[in-house]
């Protein structure tokens, strides 16, 4: 079936494809500016692209069977790259995202009950409270030019803070945002030596990152102390993620988290969760502003629905398809990189010890062989009976290290998009194309101005 047989779908902007003969130095410079712009047409057509990067083999993998092997069947053979650890550890320490081996198994097992769809359902009231406030504030600004990217960042940070600690981020939100921006702008981009040096040798930027880490962990510990001082709500179900994480015990050993471990887990959940979700919501609003007919379909689905509980969120099938399609075209995590601990054979592909594997949701989700009209915005493709291959659609990764916050992020983004589009008609004031940049996440190169009107 032609999934877009009714009307011509929109094709949103992307960076131009890189020339296939891009020099090594050109590629290196471009990696710091926009990784997506370093990929040429071949990367969207071929199954595997083998190259060399800093004396190691590298493979861009677009084959679902080989990806399945790396992320699932033999996942223990693959670790993050030294550059990946360097970028992440200063902000998330040895929390779930960056831990390995037995430490990771303990953390994942202990945290899992706090992130099930059922546990997420108990957090929905925090999300709806923030949405009510955001909509009330936006109501006072209809007709103005609005930076919806910044508004989404503030909103998801507020949701992250409230679901974590029950208190609003009005006092600490600005400091938290400053930390996130400082790190993103100065320390989260890989420099030449970050990619070249083994982890045991600090790179020049690592010293600056270590100083950042000291200030950042003190700040998170202060938030935790404030939350502890507020006490628990006895008898009632746990009122926030912090309670759940503080009370969590490993089902095998009965062990819980130490204070230092809790700092890393709290930092991980706030940082891994809020910017990724803000980016997804920004792109969804951008796409719906480019495609008013689809926007109207989202709005009509929300009519006469309260949208204040998980059952209502789960009924928003079309809005969910819009979110799924947004994360196909603009996956917040555009690249999942791994290094092989030992040599391996991944579905017929010979991989050597130390080789780098690049699994790029950005490429995979736009691959010519895997998708019909790969660059077009067609939410209904996610409503057809035929689900995409599990290893061809990876906005949240896959296998044992799949995003633990996926049910949370999906509930939050469907709820937020449905409530916002149900309340307002969204248009772009600034009609210049917005190009995505692959730097840490898939960010817009600039924040376009939007205008909203009450429905
Ligand atoms: C749209 C929003 C989100 C996107 C696109 C996203 C994407 C991802 C991806 C692709 C991974 C796998 C990385 C890899 O395999 O290297 C991941 C892992 C992870 N995510 Fe998310 N994420 C989102 C929201 C969240 C939220 C809301 C939380 C927490 C509240 C969260 C916490 C984590 C953690 C802790 C991991 C590491 C899991 C592990 O290694 O066991 N994420 N995420």
């Amino acid at each position: 079936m032609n999934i877009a047989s009714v009307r011509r779908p929109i094709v949103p902007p992307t960076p131009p494809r890189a020339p296939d003969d891009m020099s090594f130095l050109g590629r290196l410079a471009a990696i710091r500016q926009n990784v997506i712009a370093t990929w040429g047409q071949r990367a969207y057509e071929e199954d595997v692209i083998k190259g060399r990067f800093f004396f190691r083999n590298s493979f861009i993998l677009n084959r679902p069977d080989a990806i399945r092997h790396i992320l699932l069947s033999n996942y223990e053979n693959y670790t993050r790259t030294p550059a990946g650890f360097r970028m992440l550890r200063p902000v998330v320490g040895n929390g779930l995202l960056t831990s390995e081996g037995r430490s990771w198994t303990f953390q994942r097992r202990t945290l899992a009950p706090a992130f099930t769809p059922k546990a997420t359902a108990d957090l929905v009231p925090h999300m709806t409270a923030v949405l009510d406030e955001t909509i009330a504030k936006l109501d006072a600004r209809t007709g103005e030019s609005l930076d919806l990217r910044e508004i989404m960042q503030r909103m998801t940070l507020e949701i992250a803070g409230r679901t974590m600690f029950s208190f609003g981020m009005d006092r600490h939100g600005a400091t938290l945002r400053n930390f996130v921006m400082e790190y993103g702008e100065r320390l989260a981009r890989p420099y030449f030596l970050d990619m070249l040096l083994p982890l045991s040798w600090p790179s020049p930027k690592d010293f600056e990152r270590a100083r950042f880490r000291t200030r950042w962990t003190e700040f998170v510990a202060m938030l935790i102390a404030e939350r502890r001082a507020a006490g628990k709500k006895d008898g009632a179900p746990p009122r926030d993620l912090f309670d759940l994480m503080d009370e969590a015990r490993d089902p095998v050993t009965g062990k819980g988290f130490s204070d230092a471990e809790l700092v890393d887990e709290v930092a991980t959940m706030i940082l891994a969760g809020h910017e990724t979700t803000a980016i997804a919501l920004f792109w969804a609003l951008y796409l719906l502003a480019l495609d008013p007919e689809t926007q109207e379909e989202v709005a009509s689905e929300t009519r006469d629905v309260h949208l204040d509980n998980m059952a209502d969120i789960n009924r928003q099938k079309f809005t969910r398809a819009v979110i799924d399609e947004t994360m196909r075209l603009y996956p917040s995590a555009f690249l999942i990189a791994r290094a092989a601990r030992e040599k391996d054979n991944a579905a017929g592909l010979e991989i050597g010890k130390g080789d780098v594997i690049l699994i790029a949701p950005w490429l995979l989700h736009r691959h010519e062989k895997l998708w019909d009209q790969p660059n077009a915005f067609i939410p209904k493709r996610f409503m057809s009976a035929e689900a995409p291959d599990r290893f061809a659609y990876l906005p949240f990764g896959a296998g044992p290290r799949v995003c633990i916050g996926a049910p949370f992020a999906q509930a939050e983004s469907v709820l937020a998009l449905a409530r916002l589009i149900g309340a307002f008609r969204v248009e772009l004031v600034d009609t210049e194309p917005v190009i995505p940049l692959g730097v840490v996440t898939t960010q817009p190169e600039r924040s376009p101005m939007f205008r909203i009107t009450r429905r």
Side-chain angles (χ1 to χ4, degrees):
M1 183 189 71
N2 181 353
I3 49 178
S5 49
V6 185
R7 68 191 160 86
R8 218 187 161 83
I10 62 146
V11 176
T14 58
R17 304 272 149 106
D20 283 327
D21 57 355
M22 200 175 198
S23 70
F24 176 76
L25 284 179
R27 197 171 295 273
L28 207 58
I31 282 176
R32 284 182 44 72
Q33 303 307 319
N34 184 2
V35 176
I36 293 169
T38 66
W39 290 319
Q41 183 57 27
R42 281 176 59 211
Y44 296 81
E45 289 172 355
E46 295 181 12
D47 290 342
V48 178
I49 297 190
K50 190 171 173 187
R52 277 195 72 77
F53 198 67
F54 289 114
F55 322 113
R56 296 186 199 107
N57 287 328
S58 72
F59 298 89
I60 296 179
L61 279 196
N62 285 326
R63 258 179 50 197
D65 58 344
I67 293 174
R68 182 190 174 87
H69 179 91
I70 308 277
L71 294 184
L72 176 67
S73 319
N74 197 19
Y75 79 96
E76 281 171 316
N77 190 45
Y78 296 91
T79 164
R80 289 188 194 289
T81 59
F85 281 121
R86 284 203 153 93
M87 304 303 117
L88 293 169
R89 281 214 168 124
V91 274
V92 299
N94 291 314
L96 185 64
L97 187 64
T98 38
S99 56
E100 301 265 303
R102 281 164 58 178
S103 165
W104 173 79
T105 310
F106 154 67
Q107 292 180 48
R108 184 87 194 197
R109 225 167 31 204
T110 309
L111 287 167
F115 288 89
T116 58
K118 162 82 188 66
T120 302
D122 291 341
L123 300 173
V124 168
H126 289 299
M127 301 181 189
T128 53
V130 176
L131 268 151
D132 287 343
E133 289 161 21
T134 306
I135 289 172
K137 280 188 202 149
L138 286 174
D139 239 339
R141 302 187 60 192
T142 54
E144 284 178 34
S145 283
L146 296 176
D147 178 348
L148 286 183
R149 179 192 181 192
E150 197 200 329
I151 292 169
M152 291 303 102
Q153 280 173 327
R154 285 180 191 277
M155 186 183 82
T156 57
L157 183 59
E158 189 60 36
I159 290 177
R162 255 197 254 172
T163 49
M164 178 63 71
F165 294 125
S166 295
F167 48 68
M169 283 285 118
D170 38 354
R171 273 191 311 125
H172 302 302
T175 315
L176 188 49
R177 267 176 67 78
N178 288 344
F179 271 117
V180 173
M181 284 168 66
E182 178 189 343
Y183 195 74
E185 279 163 21
R186 291 209 349 262
L187 302 168
R189 295 179 190 221
Y191 287 80
F192 179 75
L193 288 173
D194 291 328
M195 292 185 267
L196 182 65
L197 292 175
L199 254 191
S200 47
W201 293 32
S203 77
K205 277 280 161 190
D206 283 346
F207 294 104
E208 217 179 308
R209 293 187 183 111
R211 285 195 294 277
F212 176 92
R213 175 155 178 79
T214 306
R215 287 189 289 125
W216 166 241
T217 47
E218 278 169 12
F219 173 72
V220 177
M222 182 275 291
L223 290 179
I224 292 180
E226 243 183 62
R227 172 64 187 79
R228 282 227 164 95
K232 283 194 213 315
K233 199 164 69 175
D234 287 334
R239 55 182 181 172
D240 53 35
L241 265 176
F242 181 76
D243 267 353
L244 291 171
M245 290 177 18
D246 198 21
E247 287 165 5
R249 294 291 173 270
D250 182 346
V252 177
T253 61
K255 190 173 155 265
F257 293 116
S258 68
D259 283 357
E261 285 169 340
L262 261 182
V263 167
D264 283 348
E265 301 304 359
V266 166
T268 300
M269 299 310 166
I270 292 182
L271 291 179
H274 95 273
E275 175 66 8
T276 40
T277 311
I279 288 283
L281 281 169
F282 163 81
W283 287 115
L285 291 167
Y286 180 70
L287 287 163
L288 292 180
L290 292 179
D291 185 349
E293 278 186 49
T294 301
Q295 185 177 153
E296 289 314 303
E297 281 183 69
V298 172
S300 69
E301 188 177 54
T302 66
R303 227 155 271 149
D304 306 322
V305 190
H306 288 299
L307 272 169
D308 57 4
N309 60 70
M310 197 59 123
D312 279 359
I313 296 173
N314 287 338
R315 272 193 283 273
Q316 304 300 295
K317 304 279 184 222
F318 186 68
T319 312
R320 171 65 193 264
V322 169
I323 291 290
D324 290 345
E325 179 69 340
T326 301
M327 291 197 200
R328 183 184 72 81
L329 286 170
Y330 298 101
S332 310
F334 64 91
L335 182 65
I336 298 172
R338 296 284 193 270
R341 290 181 203 278
E342 299 297 337
K343 71 177 178 142
D344 190 17
N345 182 302
L349 190 71
E350 290 300 332
I351 291 171
K353 182 175 174 163
D355 285 357
V356 174
I357 313 295
L358 302 174
I359 299 168
W362 175 275
L363 292 172
L364 204 58
H365 294 180
R366 292 172 180 261
H367 200 270
E368 312 270 340
K369 282 195 197 159
L370 297 170
W371 302 90
D372 179 21
Q373 301 185 67
N375 297 307
F377 176 56
I378 310 174
K380 290 214 165 85
R381 71 170 92 232
F382 282 95
M383 295 176 88
S384 85
E386 220 178 295
D389 186 312
R390 177 67 191 88
F391 293 89
Y393 181 64
L394 300 174
F396 294 103
R401 300 212 66 149
V402 69
C403 177
I404 199 169
F408 182 105
Q410 279 161 336
E412 178 182 351
S413 40
V414 170
L415 173 70
L417 192 67
R419 291 286 299 268
L420 291 168
I421 296 296
F424 304 106
R425 185 166 291 114
V426 176
E427 292 164 282
L428 276 162
V429 177
D430 165 355
T431 52
E432 283 295 306
V434 178
I435 303 294
L437 297 184
V439 202
V440 193
T441 51
T442 308
Q443 303 163 24
E445 58 167 359
R446 65 192 164 77
S447 295
M449 288 295 139
F450 291 82
R451 188 175 31 236
I452 57 170
T453 40
R454 235 326 168 175
R455 283 188 190 277

